[in-house]
Amino acid sequence: MKISYNWLKQFIKTDWSPEQTSELLTDLGLEVEGLDTFQSVKGGLEGVVVGEVLTCEKHPNADKLKITTVNIGEDSPLQIVCGAPNVAAGQKVPVATIGTTLYSEEGEAWTIKKGKIRGEASFGMICAEDELGLGKSHDGILVLDEVIAVGTPVAELYEVENDKVFEIGLTPNRADAMSHYGTARDLKAGFAQKEINIELITPSVSAFRVDSRILKIDVDVNDKELAPRYCGLTISGLKVKESPAWLQNRLKAIGLSPINNIVDATNYVLHDLGQPLHAFDANKIEGHKIEVKTLEAGTKFTTLDGIERELHADDLMICDAEKPMCIAGVFGGAHSGVTDGTTSIFLESAYFNPVSVRKTAKRHGLNTDASFRFERGIDPNITEYALKRTALLIQEIAGGEITSDIVDFYPKKINDFEVRLSFDNAKKLIGEEIPKEIIKRILSSLEIKVNNVTETGLGLTVPAYRNDVQREADIIEEILRVYGYNNVKTTKKLNASIATTSRFEDYKIQNIIGNQLASQGFYEILSNSLTTPNYVTLSEQLKDEHNISMLNPLSGDLSVLRQSLLFSGLESIAFNINRKRADLKFFEFGNTYHGFDDKREEFKHLSLFITGNHSAEKWHDQNKKSDFFLMKGLAIAVLERLGISRVKETPISSDLFSEGLTMSLGKNKLVDFGIVKKSILKHFDIAQEVIYADFNWDAILEVVKHNKIKFKAIPKFQAVRRDFALLLDENVTFESIYTLAKQSEKQILKDVNLFDVYQGKNLPAGKKSYAVSFTLLDENKTLNDKQIDKIMKKLQNTFETKLGAELR
């Protein structure tokens, strides 16, 4: 939110500098994030003075140039070469002296320097109005009034405004401070705490009066819940034109572009008092009637930006007797607003239901200054006052007469809030006892009325515009921010408690695995839990009825909670591939969400993604693609790091994968991994293979909790390795070899490893060759050849009998 310092001083007269004021605002909770400079004319016309042309002669070397001598009030006149056709002796003109910086219409800066033009020296520049930023004309130099004294700064003639603008990072709860008046109100409380008593100046509307009653517009509010208060009046005989310079400068300072005097007046009061207003062309209101109501769902309405929108049944509309004219509190219509030909208006000032306005604005993707304030809750008791203030301002800058009484629909007054404050609770929350008189003074400065005082606390009435202060804790927060957080003393004694936590805490296990994956070249991603409901069509395992929908989604693509981490990960992969990063390793810890008939559940997962080359391109090393077996090794490494081994592997049953495996331990399914189907990748425009692993993190945590760490001494005796080259049927797996070997020799056999696979020529059809190593170790003595041969013979017989294997 932008707040003009000059504008602020219309409400509160202070001699504090903008820098001091910004510090106080920040202390009060209105954090100033920046302090910018505004000048109504860029550069402030610094260095531009009034000069008098003494002589004007033709340039000897150029037909269109003239050599002038100009008196600017210094010891000797300046010689200036000028190309303007209207320059003449005796004129008073603006002169940009040497070193002056001027700005082009695009904002580009250029500095006046001493120079020669066609051989003649020139010591300055006689300026046109567009060169000074005072207009757009470039027909000739700007000729000033003859009575103006030579040497007068031109900035004084044009009342160049210099201002400081605060950029305030306003928190959503502070709807009361969304205006210059609201900010000044907080400043007054801050000054009072520093024992500086400054009056808060409220603009007077005592001059308001009804001139005649010749243009009456009837108002009918159909839904008092959506429009608790609605005010309006008519103004006739006005003239739409450009706003005066002071009003344009106020709006420009806070980043608004002036439009015309009527619209500018409503925008001014919006940022002045915080009350949104809207002006309708009275001649376009059919039947001289305003109806505040909702319309049928699907009704078409074209807004001020020219877009045709389809209305929702809950959208509150401002209508005339025949058609909708405006989305209440959000955006005006294309055919009812003020134009250059408007001569009479109906001026609206209202209080609309904040929830209704927010839902409507979100539905239509609109965010306006008016909706921003209505959504957060404005002051319902300022509505009529702001209407009078705007009407008087319009009369001042556009003329006209007020031609109707004020219509004020306010059937049920919005009451102030009653809150009880306990002094003991205030002391507990603040950590320090603030004197009762200071508490009462702070509350009074915030316009919070003290109804009764007891030894234990205060009975308070909070004004309706402070809709964020309805609890005792809110009152204490208000006291503390005005008292000053920096004024609360800290104790010399620091108390802390040491909590014991299990080594199996989720975050600890996550850190262990996260560090391991990062060391293996993975990057962690964090994806949005909100996603599109259309992803359920990519898999039969995901059901539309299991989607958990948002009540007020930001968009259709973020309207449900995800049922799988796969698709958000593929979005990240597609994003990177489109930016020439095709070799990727990602991991993510996240939740999936599922709505069942009788309950809603969420499950935690760890997802791994690999695609592209396994390692970076090198001249001495051939690129190797990331593949299924790399992912299998990574999955096993994750489980083994957590002490989980000897899991059961079964073919995967998920339609997300073209091929894959499920690893389980007992009844717990720990991980599914495999190659993602091409049909799914095509949906994300991914042409390369992606391998995905989905860990059931909840199940893994449960298994890990029951793991027991066992320690044993390092063997003193040497291990022995023997190898077999086995000719096997194609359908025989290494797992079956491993299992049979371990069953045959449980004590001496320590490890079984597959180190080569061959399929091709010189082998019978339907056969393959496995090269398998066996590591043998007796922890109590050295193995001799006889023992080793006996074990290897036993293994050979087992493989031949059980698997039909042959030694090659």
Side-chain angles (χ1 to χ4, degrees):
M1 181 182 71
K2 293 182 183 295
I3 293 292
S4 157
Y5 180 62
N6 290 347
W7 194 341
L8 197 61
K9 289 201 293 183
Q10 292 181 189
F11 292 104
I12 188 164
K13 302 296 184 183
T14 174
D15 56 359
W16 278 32
S17 69
E19 290 73 20
Q20 285 177 295
T21 305
S22 68
E23 289 180 10
L24 180 55
L25 286 170
T26 299
D27 289 342
L28 290 167
L30 303 179
E31 185 178 357
V32 177
E33 297 176 338
L35 186 60
D36 301 322
T37 299
F38 168 78
Q39 294 176 314
S40 56
V41 177
K42 194 164 186 180
L45 299 179
E46 187 175 344
V48 183
V49 297
V50 175
E52 181 179 6
V53 181
L54 302 178
T55 64
C56 180
E57 300 176 356
K58 185 179 177 298
H59 194 294
N61 302 319
D63 293 337
K64 293 184 178 181
L65 298 179
K66 295 175 182 177
I67 299 176
T68 66
T69 55
V70 184
N71 175 22
I72 62 169
E74 296 184 349
D75 295 338
S76 58
L78 302 177
Q79 176 173 300
I80 298 175
V81 177
C82 180
N86 65 328
V87 65
Q91 293 175 333
K92 294 288 180 69
V93 294
V95 177
T97 57
I98 300 297
T100 298
T101 300
L102 299 178
Y103 295 85
S104 67
E105 190 174 347
E106 294 77 23
E108 185 178 347
W110 51 289
T111 304
I112 303 299
K113 298 178 181 178
K114 174 184 175 181
K116 283 191 175 183
I117 302 176
R118 292 291 183 94
E120 297 294 330
S122 184
F123 298 89
M125 177 179 173
I126 304 174
C127 302
E129 68 174 35
D130 68 327
E131 293 165 332
L132 296 175
L134 298 173
K136 296 185 178 180
S137 173
H138 196 70
D139 296 335
I141 59 168
L142 180 62
V143 179
L144 305 174
D145 196 313
E146 294 179 356
V147 301
I148 302 173
V150 169
T152 302
V154 174
E156 294 181 7
L157 305 179
Y158 289 92
E159 299 180 354
V160 175
E161 179 161 350
N162 293 290
D163 197 0
K164 290 289 186 178
V165 181
F166 304 106
E167 182 67 47
I168 296 178
L170 199 66
T171 52
N173 65 305
R174 293 302 308 278
D176 64 293
M178 292 180 186
S179 65
H180 287 77
Y181 178 69
T183 304
R185 190 165 48 200
D186 250 26
L187 272 178
K188 178 180 180 294
F191 281 128
Q193 177 61 20
K194 296 181 181 294
E195 299 185 354
I196 302 173
N197 294 316
I198 300 179
E199 182 185 358
L200 182 64
I201 302 169
T202 305
S204 174
V205 293
S206 59
F208 177 86
R209 65 185 178 87
V210 177
D211 299 300
S212 64
R213 294 173 175 82
I214 60 174
L215 182 56
K216 181 184 178 183
I217 303 290
D218 294 324
V219 174
D220 183 12
V221 179
N222 291 353
D223 194 330
K224 65 181 181 181
E225 296 296 328
L226 298 185
R229 189 172 190 184
Y230 191 89
C231 297
L233 56 76
T234 62
I235 304 175
S236 303
L238 51 78
K239 186 175 181 180
V240 178
K241 57 184 179 180
E242 191 177 78
S243 295
W246 71 265
L247 178 52
Q248 291 195 43
N249 289 338
R250 286 283 179 266
L251 297 178
K252 287 177 181 177
I254 59 173
L256 296 181
S257 299
I259 299 172
N260 59 53
N261 52 357
I262 307 302
V263 176
D264 292 350
T266 60
N267 283 335
Y268 178 83
V269 175
L270 166 67
H271 292 276
D272 191 55
L273 300 176
Q275 171 66 52
L277 300 106
H278 191 73
F280 299 93
D281 189 326
N283 293 324
K284 297 176 183 177
I285 300 176
E286 299 294 340
H288 281 197
K289 184 176 183 180
I290 292 286
E291 294 186 19
V292 184
K293 60 183 181 180
T294 57
L295 299 175
E296 290 184 6
T299 301
K300 305 292 184 183
F301 178 68
T302 303
T303 45
L304 198 57
D305 54 5
I307 296 175
E308 185 179 73
R309 303 178 188 275
E310 192 173 290
L311 299 179
H312 188 275
D314 294 333
D315 292 339
L316 186 66
M317 303 296 295
I318 311 299
C319 309
D320 61 19
E322 296 182 1
K323 63 184 183 302
M325 299 189 297
C326 174
I327 302 177
V330 180
F331 210 26
H335 307 298
S336 62
V338 173
T339 64
D340 292 342
T342 298
T343 58
S344 59
I345 62 170
F346 176 79
L347 186 62
E348 167 197 278
S349 178
Y351 176 87
F352 297 117
N353 182 285
V355 175
S356 172
V357 173
R358 178 172 177 78
K359 287 183 177 180
T360 295
K362 292 299 180 184
R363 270 194 292 266
H364 297 290
L366 294 169
N367 183 23
T368 61
D369 283 337
S371 69
F372 183 79
R373 285 158 177 79
F374 278 126
E375 288 173 14
R376 288 156 178 80
I378 61 171
D379 184 357
N381 297 318
I382 204 175
T383 310
E384 183 182 9
Y385 169 73
L387 182 68
K388 291 179 178 179
R389 170 95 166 102
T390 310
L392 290 172
L393 179 58
I394 289 175
Q395 282 188 297
E396 177 188 337
I397 63 178
E401 295 182 336
I402 296 172
T403 51
S404 76
D405 291 315
I406 292 177
V407 176
D408 188 1
F409 175 85
Y410 197 15
K412 185 179 180 181
K413 188 177 186 301
I414 297 175
N415 295 320
D416 296 337
F417 311 110
E418 301 292 333
V419 182
R420 176 76 184 170
L421 172 66
S422 164
F423 292 132
D424 284 343
N425 289 340
K427 180 181 177 181
K428 287 177 184 177
L429 284 180
I430 294 173
E432 179 178 314
E433 185 173 2
I434 298 176
K436 296 175 184 178
E437 289 305 314
I438 292 179
I439 288 177
K440 288 190 285 185
R441 186 179 70 198
I442 290 173
L443 293 174
S444 178
S445 69
L446 291 170
E447 300 182 4
I448 297 175
K449 184 180 177 182
V450 179
N451 295 324
N452 56 75
V453 183
T454 67
E455 286 297 319
T456 58
L458 302 174
L460 306 171
T461 299
V462 182
Y465 66 80
R466 289 309 307 269
N467 54 36
D468 62 320
V469 183
Q470 299 185 23
R471 305 170 302 163
E472 183 183 48
D474 300 327
I475 294 288
I476 296 170
E477 182 182 1
E478 290 297 293
I479 294 169
L480 186 53
R481 73 178 181 86
V482 177
Y483 179 75
Y485 292 98
N486 295 334
N487 294 326
V488 177
K489 299 179 181 64
T490 56
T491 60
K492 293 181 179 180
K493 183 180 179 182
L494 180 63
N495 296 322
S497 58
I498 300 174
T500 58
T501 59
S502 167
R503 64 188 179 91
F504 299 114
E505 289 289 337
D506 187 5
Y507 75 93
K508 292 183 178 181
I509 305 299
Q510 283 191 44
N511 287 340
I512 291 171
I513 298 304
N515 289 334
Q516 175 178 322
L517 292 171
S519 68
Q520 293 173 318
F522 278 79
Y523 288 91
E524 184 172 10
I525 60 174
L526 282 174
S527 303
N528 197 335
S529 295
L530 296 174
T531 188
T532 172
N534 299 330
Y535 284 156
V536 297
T537 61
L538 300 178
S539 171
E540 293 181 0
Q541 291 182 302
L542 307 178
K543 304 295 183 183
D544 186 61
E545 58 268 24
H546 293 165
N547 272 336
I548 299 177
S549 300
M550 303 297 293
L551 293 177
N552 188 20
L554 295 173
S555 68
D557 289 337
L558 298 172
S559 60
V560 301
L561 290 167
R562 63 187 175 190
Q563 295 188 47
S564 171
L565 270 64
L566 171 62
F567 307 117
S568 54
L570 292 178
E571 288 174 354
S572 298
I573 288 173
F575 183 89
N576 280 269
I577 289 174
N578 291 339
R579 285 153 183 79
K580 304 301 181 183
R581 293 178 59 87
D583 304 331
L584 304 169
K585 293 179 180 178
F586 289 156
F587 76 94
E588 178 179 11
F589 288 99
N591 289 359
T592 60
Y593 308 85
H594 312 266
F596 301 113
D597 293 335
D598 56 342
K599 59 182 177 179
R600 293 176 177 177
E601 291 193 51
E602 59 182 276
F603 305 105
K604 193 153 199 171
H605 296 258
L606 164 63
S607 61
L608 305 185
F609 298 86
I610 56 175
T611 185
N613 291 325
H614 175 36
S615 56
E617 187 177 22
K618 297 175 183 175
W619 67 270
H620 58 78
D621 194 11
Q622 187 176 2
N623 285 339
K624 184 179 180 182
K625 293 287 185 184
S626 297
D627 57 17
F628 176 89
F629 296 102
L630 173 61
M631 179 61 85
K632 182 178 181 181
L634 292 167
I636 291 173
V638 168
L639 296 177
E640 288 185 345
R641 179 64 182 85
L642 298 175
I644 303 172
S645 59
R646 299 315 308 141
V647 293
K648 181 182 179 182
E649 298 177 5
T650 55
I652 206 160
S653 58
S654 171
D655 64 350
L656 298 173
F657 303 96
S658 58
E659 56 180 298
L661 289 176
T662 296
M663 291 182 177
S664 305
L665 187 64
K667 295 181 180 180
N668 294 312
K669 184 172 74 171
L670 302 182
V671 57
D672 289 338
F673 69 93
I675 301 170
V676 180
K677 274 190 174 180
K678 289 184 178 180
S679 59
I680 295 176
L681 298 179
K682 186 178 180 181
H683 184 84
F684 296 88
D685 292 326
I686 299 174
Q688 62 193 56
E689 187 176 78
V690 176
I691 302 95
Y692 166 62
D694 178 21
F695 289 81
N696 183 345
W697 194 250
D698 293 320
I700 288 174
L701 290 177
E702 191 61 33
V703 170
V704 167
K705 289 178 183 178
H706 299 290
N707 278 350
K708 293 184 179 180
I709 298 175
K710 296 180 180 180
F711 299 91
K712 59 181 181 179
I714 297 174
K716 299 178 181 180
F717 302 98
Q718 187 71 33
V720 176
R721 168 176 163 164
R722 293 289 186 268
D723 298 341
F724 276 163
L726 299 172
L727 186 64
L728 301 158
D729 292 336
E730 284 183 337
N731 61 349
V732 176
T733 64
F734 170 69
E735 184 180 14
S736 59
I737 295 174
Y738 185 98
T739 303
L740 285 172
K742 282 291 189 177
Q743 290 173 350
S744 298
E745 182 54 58
K746 297 179 180 180
Q747 298 297 323
I748 305 298
L749 182 62
K750 299 301 181 183
D751 191 25
V752 182
N753 182 48
L754 176 67
F755 65 88
D756 188 38
V757 178
Y758 176 74
Q759 287 178 290
K761 62 181 182 179
N762 300 327
L763 290 182
K767 294 289 185 178
K768 63 182 177 183
S769 174
Y770 272 4
V772 184
S773 66
F774 302 88
T775 302
L776 307 175
L777 172 67
D778 189 331
E779 297 181 1
N780 300 311
K781 60 182 179 180
T782 301
L783 288 171
N784 55 45
D785 289 341
K786 185 177 180 181
Q787 290 173 301
I788 295 170
D789 291 341
K790 181 180 178 182
I791 293 170
M792 296 307 297
K793 187 66 176 177
K794 182 180 178 182
L795 290 174
Q796 179 182 346
N797 291 335
T798 301
F799 297 150
E800 289 175 347
T801 305
K802 302 288 187 181
L803 302 178
E806 298 179 25
L807 286 182
R808 293 186 64 200

